[in-house]
Structures are given as C-alpha cells and as structure tokens.
C-alpha cells in the first residue's frame, strides 16, 4: 500500500479535492503526519470515521520496519530498515556541534559502482519512493521526540545516487522542508551527487536553496575513471562546466567531497591538481577519512597524512576541512550494515 508520506503539501490538498473534500482536509492530514507525528490513521481524531476508513483502505503511514540499530560511543546511530517488499536500507543519525543530522538513502542498492564504496556491492534494485525517504527522517525524528529533541539537518548521501532518482528526491525534500511539514530549512539540507551532469543542470534551474555536494575523489579523468565509472559518461570537463553553470545561476557555495585513499589519490601532486581544477569556484573541499570495507582493498590515510594534503590545499588557496570521523566503532561505511545483513540471508 502507498504511504501517506508520498504526498507533499500541495499534492495532499489536491488529493483531498479529488476525493470530493475541501482542500483544508489535506492540510489537516498533513498536520497530523508532520506536526502531531501520528503512527496510525485512527489517531487523526478530527477526521470523520468515514474519512479515516477510506484512508486506511488505501494507505499506510510508515512503510519501514526496524531490523537493527547500532549506537556508537559518539552517539552516531545507524538504523537498518526493511521495506514492505523485503528490501533493506540504511539511515544514519549523526551528532554535530550545530545539531543532529540524518543521512538518508535514496535507492535500494546503487549502480554507480564506485570502486571504494560498500553501497555499490549490490546493484540497484529500485528507486525509493519519496515516502520511503520521508519515513527515514520521520522514524528518527520520532525517536528524538522522546527526549524533546529534533533533527536540524538532512543530507541525502546514503545508499544510492540521488540524481538517479531525481523526481522522488525533490518531492521528498519539499515535504520535510515545507513550513507545515518538519520545517527543516533549505540551507540545512544537502544533496550529494557523483556527477550526473544533466541533472545538475536541472537542479540549477530549480533555484532552490538546498546545498549541493559533489563526490569528486580524484582531480583528473584517468584516476577518476578508475575510481568512479560515472566519469566515463560525464568526464571532469563536463562536470565542471555544469557546476560553473549551477554556481552562476544560484550563487551558492559548492562542496566537493574527497575521500583520501592511501597511495591512490593522496599525493601532493593530486592536491596541486585539485587546487588548479577548483580555481575560481566558490567552493570548499571536505576531506574524508576512508572507512574500510572488507570487500575493498583501499586503506585510509593517517591523520598526519591527511594534514599534509590539507595544508597543500590551503597553501593553494582552496578552503577545506577534514571531516570528523563518526561511528568508527560500528559499521560506519555507507551500506556496510545492509551488506552484512544480506550476506546472512536476511532481506534482498
């Protein structure tokens, strides 16, 4: 059955009109979902019994079942969910100085095939619906409600390529961003892409205030082709042209994600090449320590080695940070917990 979370605010009002109700009925349902955060349709007590019965005959609220939960010493919490068709997905809640953030998955599996990533160990089964993405956020928010806490940030950086599921991702964000929804501000929402160039142009033309992060991980085509097959379809020159267009259209700072892989992309020559590539862009680089994956041969750099790369970028006038490691005592790498569960024979 379809989840009520699949509807954004305007769609919910239109659904109400299609049912022969007033648009305000859609507003009421939306309020029950996001402000009152009900778990059952029968909890929508200001709706008539007839209305609730109709909703129950066609919809559910939560399409997720919690399978496993891991909590790190630093408070990072990884959730493994099962969907109605048996598919598994992960979400991660992380604690920062500025608040609590959730990392949302956008697909079941991933077709991008990045050489270092656990998410791509299983091919994409399907896209997640917008409601299945909303449900990840709502599950974690309801957990935080127990301590009168709230999510402040959303990153769409979990399993899957968000721009390979563009329409559903944008619909999902309109739900959680809407001031009658969770009201999470646009500038507290980040979408990460490995470089689907046509969708970058689409996203630029949306003129939203969402942040855009680009998984780069290499400063040249030869190395990026080895690490990220998407580069063969959309090489760096095309990617940078699209990102320049995005920056011009939106006047927004770009984030480039760069996982430091020992002996692969971490040499001083790579840092100089990266600085040259990004020259003139309003951008900064997020250097990411690599979380090892059993099935992959890559290793992470030490903190001192990361600092050498960091210093080289800063000397070449590239703003950058080294991401603080989160959840390193649990299955930290994206998709890792899901892969372990699949190997046990549980889920797809």
């Amino acid at each position: 059955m379809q989840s009520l979370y699949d509807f954004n605010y305007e769609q919910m009002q239109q659904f109400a009109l299609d049912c022969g109700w007033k648009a305000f009925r859609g507003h009421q349902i939306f309020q029950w979902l996001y402000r009152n955060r009900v778990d059952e349709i029968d909890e929508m007590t200001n709706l008539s019994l007839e209305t609730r019965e109709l909703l129950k005959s066609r919809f559910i609220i939560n399409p997720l079942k919690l399978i496993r939960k891991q909590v790190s010493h630093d408070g990072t919490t990884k959730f493994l969910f099962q969907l109605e068709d048996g598919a598994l997905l992960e979400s991660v809640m992380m604690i920062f100085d500025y608040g609590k953030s959730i990392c949302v998955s956008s697909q079941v599996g991933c077709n991008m095939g990045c050489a270092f990533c656990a998410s791509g160990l299983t091919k994409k089964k399907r896209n997640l619906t917008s409601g299945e993405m909303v449900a990840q956020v709502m599950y974690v928010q309801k957990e935080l409600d127990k301590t009168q806490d709230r999510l402040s940030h959303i990153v769409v950086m979990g399993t899957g390529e968000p721009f390979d599921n563009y329409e559903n991702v944008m619909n999902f964000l309109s739900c959680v961003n809407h001031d009658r929804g969770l009201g999470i501000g646009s500038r507290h929402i980040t979408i990460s892409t490995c470089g689907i160039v046509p969708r970058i142009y689409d996203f630029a033309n949306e003129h939203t205030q969402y942040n855009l992060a680009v998984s780069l991980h290499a400063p040249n085509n030869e190395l990026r082709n080895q690490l990220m097959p998407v580069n063969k379809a959309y090489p760096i020159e095309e990617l940078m042209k699209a990102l320049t267009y995005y920056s011009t259209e939106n006047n927004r700072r770009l984030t480039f994600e760069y996982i430091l892989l020992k002996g692969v992309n971490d040499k001083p020559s790579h840092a100089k090449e990266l600085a040259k590539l990004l020259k003139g862009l309003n951008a900064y680089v997020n250097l990411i320590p690599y979380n090892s994956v059993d099935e992959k041969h890559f290793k992470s750099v030490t903190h001192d080695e990361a600092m050498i790369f960091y210093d080289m970028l800063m000397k070449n006038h590239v703003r950058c940070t080294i991401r603080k490691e989160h959840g390193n005592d649990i299955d930290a790498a994206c998709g890792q917990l899901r892969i372990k569960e699949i190997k046990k024979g549980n889920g797809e």
Side-chain angles (χ1 to χ4, degrees):
M1 294 177 74
Q2 187 179 9
S3 169
L4 285 172
Y5 288 144
D6 277 317
F7 295 91
N8 65 29
Y9 185 75
E10 290 74 20
Q11 291 165 348
M12 191 71 81
Q13 289 185 307
Q14 185 58 52
F15 167 72
L17 293 172
D18 292 341
C19 290
W21 306 329
K22 293 181 179 180
F24 182 70
R25 184 63 53 82
H27 167 83
Q28 287 177 304
I29 296 170
F30 205 77
Q31 291 282 94
W32 278 114
L33 292 174
Y34 294 100
R35 293 299 174 87
N36 300 94
R37 302 204 259 276
V38 297
D39 294 310
E40 303 292 340
I41 291 170
D42 276 331
E43 294 178 57
M44 301 180 182
T45 51
N46 62 352
L47 303 184
S48 70
L49 180 60
E50 180 183 6
T51 299
R52 282 179 274 155
E53 289 300 320
L54 185 148
L55 291 175
K56 283 159 56 180
S57 70
R58 295 176 57 181
F59 302 102
I60 57 172
I61 294 180
N62 180 22
L64 305 180
K65 175 185 176 183
L66 182 66
I67 298 298
R68 187 159 282 106
K69 177 180 174 182
Q70 293 182 336
V71 182
S72 170
H73 65 86
D74 63 13
T76 299
T77 306
K78 179 166 271 196
F79 301 86
L80 180 68
F81 297 113
Q82 188 172 54
L83 299 164
E84 291 210 300
D85 61 0
L88 298 173
L89 67 86
E90 286 182 16
S91 310
V92 184
M93 190 272 290
M94 294 166 286
I95 301 173
F96 296 92
D97 293 340
Y98 54 74
K100 291 182 171 64
S101 176
I102 181 172
C103 182
V104 174
S105 292
S106 57
Q107 295 177 315
V108 179
C110 183
N111 277 346
M112 296 301 106
C114 297
F116 46 81
C117 183
S119 296
L121 289 171
T122 60
K123 294 298 182 183
K124 184 181 87 171
K125 303 289 185 183
R126 66 175 176 86
N127 289 327
L128 293 180
T129 67
S130 59
E132 288 167 337
M133 286 179 270
V134 170
Q136 296 173 59
V137 177
M138 294 306 296
Y139 188 97
V140 175
Q141 180 55 63
K142 288 176 183 180
E143 288 282 294
L144 294 175
D145 284 340
K146 297 172 184 175
T147 55
Q148 297 184 322
D149 208 345
R150 70 183 297 270
L151 287 168
S152 60
H153 292 69
I154 294 174
V155 292
V156 191
M157 294 183 183
T159 299
E161 163 54 51
F163 280 1
D164 190 36
N165 187 16
Y166 186 82
E167 287 81 8
N168 284 333
V169 167
M170 296 305 290
N171 197 68
F172 148 62
L173 294 179
S174 73
C175 292
V176 294
N177 171 240
H178 200 283
D179 58 4
R180 290 186 173 93
L182 284 183
I184 294 177
S186 297
R187 297 190 179 211
H188 289 183
I189 293 172
T190 301
I191 306 173
S192 175
T193 179
C194 66
I196 309 295
V197 164
R199 290 307 198 189
I200 292 173
Y201 284 106
D202 292 339
F203 185 67
N205 292 329
E206 300 261 5
H207 297 288
T208 67
Q209 293 296 301
Y210 305 140
N211 301 303
L212 180 62
V214 181
S215 295
L216 191 63
H217 310 311
N220 60 63
N221 284 320
E222 182 181 4
L223 181 54
R224 200 164 190 262
N225 284 344
Q226 296 171 29
L227 296 176
M228 303 179 70
V230 69
N231 197 72
K232 297 173 184 177
Y234 307 112
I236 284 178
E237 294 80 11
E238 291 185 27
L239 174 60
M240 298 310 293
K241 183 180 177 181
L243 293 173
T244 299
Y245 176 80
Y246 167 83
S247 294
T248 302
E249 282 290 307
N250 293 272
N251 194 30
R252 302 281 290 135
R253 186 176 71 171
L254 286 161
T255 299
F256 287 91
E257 297 162 330
Y258 197 98
I259 292 177
L260 288 167
L261 303 168
K262 191 177 183 71
V264 177
N265 65 353
D266 62 331
K267 299 180 178 66
S269 60
H270 294 133
K272 290 179 182 178
E273 207 171 353
L274 181 58
K276 184 178 179 181
L277 180 67
L278 303 185
K279 186 176 181 180
L281 272 181
N282 180 17
Y284 86 100
V285 177
N286 192 7
L287 299 173
I288 305 170
Y290 181 63
N291 285 312
S292 62
V293 177
D294 291 343
E295 295 83 358
K296 305 293 184 179
H297 63 276
F298 298 103
K299 298 187 185 309
S300 183
V301 298
T302 65
H303 178 73
D304 288 346
E305 290 167 336
M307 284 303 300
I308 292 172
F309 200 91
Y310 169 88
D311 287 339
M312 184 72 70
L313 288 179
M314 294 292 283
K315 286 175 183 176
N316 282 274
H317 312 293
V318 175
R319 289 169 291 176
C320 57
T321 57
I322 299 176
R323 182 189 289 179
K324 180 182 175 183
E325 291 187 75
H326 289 270
N328 56 11
D329 57 330
I330 58 176
D331 293 304
C334 181
Q336 200 168 32
L337 181 56
R338 174 175 169 269
I339 293 297
K340 286 187 175 182
E341 196 70 16
I342 291 172
K343 284 183 174 181
K344 292 178 186 176
N346 301 325
E348 92 285 21

